[in-house]
Each structure stands twice: as structure tokens, then as C-alpha cells.
Amino acid sequence: MRDFIQALPKAELHVHLEGTLEPEHIFALAQRNGINLEYKRPEDVVAAYDFHDLPSFLKIYYAAMDVLREEEDFYELAWHYFQRAAAQNIVYVEPFFDPQAHTVRGVSFETVINGISRAQRDAAEKLGVTSNLILCFLRDMSAESAAETLAAVEPFLDRIIGVGLDSDEKDNPPAKFAEVFARARSLGLKLTMHCDVNQKDILDHLRECLDLIAVDRIDHGINALEDPTLCDAIVERGLGLTICPVSNRFVVQNLTGDEIRQMLAKGMRATINSDDPAYFRAYLNENFEALVDEAAFTEAEILQLVRNAFTVSWLPEAAKTAYL
Ligand code: ADE
Ligand code: ZN
């Protein structure tokens, strides 16, 4: 099964580039940028990963980003991820990045996007991994800050395909960002939002995503299974759901294998993704392997999940058919 998973050309639609920052790279960047770390060795960093819910993860995730300062740092971050993607036979990626997590630290938007864009070009040329970038707004920051971020990206619109919404979901509903997402749509961008598993008011968040924002995809979205009306709407609109099994195991102590099967049975377009692979210690293939090892997923199920990812990707239709 490992060979089967490895050999399949795959797409990944839910990976935070900042969530691919490996402990060894944290050390190398800290040294280059003259930053003191409270840890002595990369192993100590991993030992300190103690995630049991979304806030406990986010605290560590944002703290580590402080080592990312220069354009070259962002280039390396993305380039290292694309190299791993190539090694796992991932041929297409729609990665997220969190510009506000950098601009609040005084790193310019240009620095971030120029580093990432250059890595995307190199990945396409040298590795055969193509990608389209998704800008995520941080939902625990204000709607005004999101609007300012969108204004900052307007000169770079050709470099992103869509916008997303991530970070701490508690009391930060989709409705808070209705205006900025409407503006993003008017600029021709695709829309997606995190509806993280088992968050407070999650069914309201899912309904707002569908009825108010009219998203083009949903990140996570497992809780939709609790409401048949939501499931029907997701099926009817052909919306993709980007599920992250190993991430779910950390955040809600459940790989969500049963839920993924229920989604497939209902015709919901579930896809498998890694979310923050450096932190959850599992890239895309390891997420599929966990489903095989712990929930006995079959080759046919894996194939369906991989096909779904290409189907609900934001590739042009002609490019999709090459993979389907
Ligand atoms: N930012 C990075 N990873 C995230 C996740 N799993 N949920 C919400 N925000 C995130
Ligand atoms: Zn995520």
C-alpha cells in the first residue's frame, strides 16, 4: 500500500507553508538571522510540541515563525516544502500563507510573496511541481486588518489564486469577514475558509460559509455531517472539503476516518491533506498511510480521495483532465 500511495500523482490543497517549517530549518534560520532560541537542539523543539487543541498548536506555530525575516528565508521555506512534495509524487499544490503573521512583525508583504513566488517558479521548472498560492487572513485579527492586507496584495493579484481564513476560530465567525471576502471575489479570487473540527458554533460557521460567503471550498468541514441540509448543499454545489486526518488526531484526538468514509458515501468531495506537516510530523503520504494503517482504507478509497483533490482544485478544467 505504501508503494501504491507513493506512486500515485497527487494534489495537495490544504498545507500552510509556515506549517512546513522544520525544526532543523528553525535552527539554521535563527543562526543566520542572529536570533537566540530557548532550545539547544532541533530534537528539543520537537519535544516541546504539545498540541491538544487549536490554540495550543497556534501558540507554538506563531512563535516559531519569528525566525523568518528575509526574502531568502521565505524562499527556502517554500522550496523545502516543494522538494518534499516532489519526493512524495505531489504534482500540484495550492499552499496557504499567512502574510499578517509576518507584517505584524515588521516583515513586508513584498519580502514574503517574492520569496515564495520565486520558489514556486523554481519548483515548476526544476521539480515539475506546479502550484497556485492562497492568501489566508488571520480570523483573530480585525476585519480592517484583513481589508488592508487585501489592498496590499492588489498589485500582486496575478500571484495568488484565492483567499482563505485561518487561525483561532473561537468567536471569529465567517460573517466578520463578509465584506473583505466579497471584495476578494470581485477581484476574481477564489474563496475558501477553515471550519475547523468541533469548534464553538461550528454549524453556524458552516452555514455562513455557504449562505453568506458562498465559498468555493471548505477547509476541514467535518462537522457538516451533523446536519443533512448542509451535506445536501455541499453535494449539490460540488464543494470540496480539505480534510487533514493527522492534524485532526492532534487537535481533536481523532483521525476522522469514519467521517471521511461517511462523506465519500454521501458523494461529498473529501480530499486528504497535511495541514501543518512539520508540526504534526506527517506529510501527505503519511496522512494516507495513517488512514490505511489505522482505519483500513482501501486502494479504491484512496484513489477516490486523490481524484477528488484534482476535481475540486482550482486548476483550469483542461489541466485537471490530464490527471483524472
Ligand atoms: N493555521 C495553521 N494551521 C491551522 C489550522 N489547522 N487551523 C487554523 N489555523 C491554522
Ligand atoms: Zn489548516
Side-chain angles (χ1 to χ4, degrees):
M1 265 309 234
R2 276 176 168 57
D3 293 345
F4 176 77
I5 293 165
Q6 170 66 33
L8 279 177
K10 292 170 292 289
E12 175 147 61
L13 307 179
H14 186 154
V15 55
H16 301 262
L17 284 176
E18 294 88 346
T20 70
L21 181 57
E22 287 285 341
E24 292 76 13
H25 199 200
I26 294 177
F27 268 76
L29 291 174
Q31 190 167 36
R32 193 161 82 199
N33 291 330
I35 298 163
N36 270 331
L37 294 177
E38 56 179 300
Y39 305 101
K40 287 206 169 52
R41 301 166 305 164
E43 304 88 275
D44 303 334
V45 174
V46 179
Y49 290 168
D50 174 23
F51 318 128
H52 44 274
D53 56 14
L54 189 53
S56 63
F57 161 71
L58 290 171
K59 193 165 166 241
I60 290 171
Y61 167 83
Y62 289 122
M65 278 181 215
D66 188 40
V67 298
L68 295 163
R69 304 267 173 105
E70 308 294 334
E71 184 186 311
E72 190 64 18
D73 305 344
F74 290 93
Y75 172 84
E76 286 180 4
L77 175 72
W79 175 244
H80 291 172
Y81 166 71
F82 288 128
Q83 284 181 310
R84 289 205 183 238
Q88 295 211 339
N89 208 5
I90 297 171
V91 295
Y92 178 68
V93 192
E94 288 175 4
F96 296 129
F97 74 123
D98 285 339
Q100 287 157 295
H102 312 301
T103 52
V104 291
R105 301 183 288 111
V107 178
S108 76
F109 183 80
E110 288 82 349
T111 297
V112 179
I113 197 147
N114 284 341
I116 294 173
S117 304
R118 188 155 54 86
Q120 286 181 276
R121 282 196 299 275
D122 280 356
E125 269 176 37
K126 298 177 187 166
L127 304 171
V129 178
T130 56
S131 58
N132 282 306
L133 200 54
I134 302 174
L135 181 158
C136 276
F137 302 112
L138 302 190
R139 68 198 307 159
D140 44 1
M141 293 184 70
S142 67
E144 291 71 29
S145 174
E148 282 163 21
T149 304
L150 186 59
V153 84
E154 285 192 32
F156 302 92
L157 271 187
D158 58 329
R159 308 238 203 132
I160 65 169
I161 195 161
V163 293
L165 188 67
D166 66 1
S167 204
D168 195 355
E169 190 158 342
K170 185 161 181 264
D171 298 326
N172 293 304
K176 175 176 166 185
F177 298 94
E179 218 171 295
V180 74
F181 273 69
R183 168 91 187 129
R185 165 96 77 213
S186 74
L187 293 170
L189 296 168
K190 297 282 193 184
L191 313 182
T192 187
M193 286 185 166
H194 278 55
C195 287
D196 257 283
V197 192
N198 294 357
Q199 296 295 298
K200 177 171 173 258
D201 305 322
I202 192 64
L203 292 181
D204 291 335
H205 291 191
L206 281 157
R207 288 180 194 121
E208 286 176 16
C209 270
L210 294 174
D211 301 338
L212 182 65
I213 312 292
V215 290
D216 298 294
R217 205 156 67 206
I218 297 172
D219 297 313
H220 300 290
I222 287 273
N223 295 92
L225 288 167
E226 292 160 28
D227 178 350
T229 314
L230 277 172
C231 293
D232 290 348
I234 288 168
V235 172
E236 202 173 298
R237 297 182 200 188
L239 291 181
L241 299 126
T242 62
I243 312 295
C244 309
V246 176
S247 163
N248 291 342
R249 189 163 61 194
F250 277 97
V251 175
V252 294
Q253 294 75 51
N254 180 351
L255 199 61
T256 63
D258 284 351
E259 289 83 351
I260 295 165
R261 282 211 168 95
Q262 287 175 46
M263 287 184 162
L264 293 181
K266 287 177 188 291
M268 295 162 85
R269 289 170 163 165
T271 68
I272 301 303
N273 305 271
S274 67
D275 207 0
D276 300 287
Y279 291 92
F280 304 136
R281 315 306 293 156
Y283 283 78
L284 184 57
N285 285 359
E286 290 79 34
N287 273 267
F288 281 111
E289 286 166 15
L291 289 173
V292 171
D293 294 344
E294 297 169 42
F297 269 55
T298 64
E299 285 188 3
E301 287 170 322
I302 288 167
L303 200 54
Q304 183 66 53
L305 290 161
V306 168
R307 290 173 65 90
N308 284 351
F310 287 109
T311 303
V312 304
S313 76
W314 295 333
L315 278 167
E317 290 304 318
K320 282 183 197 180
T321 50
Y323 298 111
L324 289 172

